[in-house]
Amino acid sequence: MRRHMPFLRFGLLLGGLVALLTACQWPAPATPAATLAPQNAVATMVAGTLTAQPPPPTATPAVAPTATPAGTSLPGSAQFLWAYRQDTGTLTLYSATGEALWSLPAPNLETGIAMHTASPVNPAQPANLWLIYAAFQQENKETLVTLVSYHNGQTQTELKIGSTLHTNLIGLAGMPAAPRIAYSTLTMVGYDYHSVLYVHSLGTAPPTHSLYEITTSDGRIIRPLSLGPDGVWFTYDYYGAPMGPVGLYHITYTGEVTQALPDAYTLLGFDAATGWVAYRANAGDSGTGAITWRLLEIGDLTAPSPQTVTLADPVALPEAMPTGAAFSEGYIAWSTHVGPFMDGDDYLRVYTLDGQAVSVEPPTASPAIFPQTPAVYPVTWLNQQVLVLRGHDVNANQDILILTPPDLNEDASVTLPGIYLGRAWTNTP
């Protein structure tokens, strides 16, 4: 897209990354293939090195995915999204066509942590919801980070995570349309980073269960991605660093950990319903902008993928690097950054899952597809034909979301005010 202000780009990129890492629910593997750590164990890593890693994924020729009728919403697809306006402190539920269905005052909401919709949405009665989101709260002259629950028309504190002086909430993920969540925290212990993964059933006691924890010296921390019936998907992130999450793991509720993607790869995106994962090599790709997406063998995460696609950037721009991806049942959308991290340009790509180009954003000199924002990043899909992009309207000076078809047709797009915070479903996927 166009060249843009470095600090605006930094905020947009991190916001899009948070959205990607918390947007989806994955099916759990039938039997974990390798145990890396016992339940409630403390895994100590030096310089971020984890022992017992499987070999890198084996590339196989691309195979066309099963055809899905255009506009079809398969099980696992969301029909709604949440957007938060910081200027009004309002959380709004939108349909896939951009219709505002319901709003909730949510002062002090933490926009860096995605929220979770813990019940199905009834479009006729959208207020009958169960929500959980992060918010700040003042108590005894301290600022606490909390998880706030909205249920049966009442808003109350579900959990007090701790004082922001000592403990940070890193991530929140949930089981779609179900009152079960996972969250992770960070506490500094001297110069080390102590990160803990918890699971929690809303409205029940005991309130939390510590499932997994690590202590590292390089800032590596646990970030939950989603929950399934058998466990939690998570990745490792680096606290305060822009390099992006590395690796992909699944931990059962009995503590067995399986690695699905080695730490030699930066996780770019994943799909909840089908098991698609997108990544790039941490060591770089010689500036080709190469991205790989592959289909996980859910029953055996260490098995070769039945389908893998690797593409260099289609425009072949120098110093290109993919920064984030989102899947639908038939498409993948991702951003490619060109130039230094805090400067440069971003371009949007949309492809079919078998590697066919649908829309490739042109070089900087060409007209912009969405002229109101200097950069857009894919955050999720609401169904087969609705891609959600995150941007910033420079004229109105506000964060925006753009709902667009896969071909990035501005005339068919809808622009909404606010920051993306999560998806919602009419039924439990």
Side-chain angles (χ1 to χ4, degrees), residues 44 104 123 151 186 235 291 298 349 364 380:
T44 301
L104 173 71
H151 189 214
L186 168 65
T235 186
I291 182 175
I298 296 300
R349 285 83 175 84
T364 307
T380 193

Side-chain angles (χ1 to χ4, degrees), residues 29-53:
T31 304
T35 299
L36 300 184
Q39 183 181 8
N40 300 327
V42 177
T44 301
M45 293 188 287
V46 180
T49 301
L50 183 67
T51 60
Q53 293 193 13

Side-chain angles (χ1 to χ4, degrees), residues 66 98 114 148 212 267 272 334 350 353 366 382:
T66 303
V148 175
Y212 185 62
L267 180 67
W334 77 92
V350 181
L353 290 179
S366 301
L382 296 183

Side-chain angles (χ1 to χ4, degrees), residues 73-87:
S73 181
L74 298 182
S77 294
Q79 291 85 33
F80 310 95
L81 67 86
W82 292 100
Y84 183 72
R85 292 192 60 168
Q86 292 180 300
D87 56 344

Side-chain angles (χ1 to χ4, degrees), residues 27 31 42 55 76 187 265 301 310 314 317 351 358 400 403 406 409:
T31 304
V42 177
T187 304
Y265 297 94
L301 295 180
T310 298
L317 298 170
Y351 273 65
V358 176
I400 59 173
L403 311 186
N409 184 341

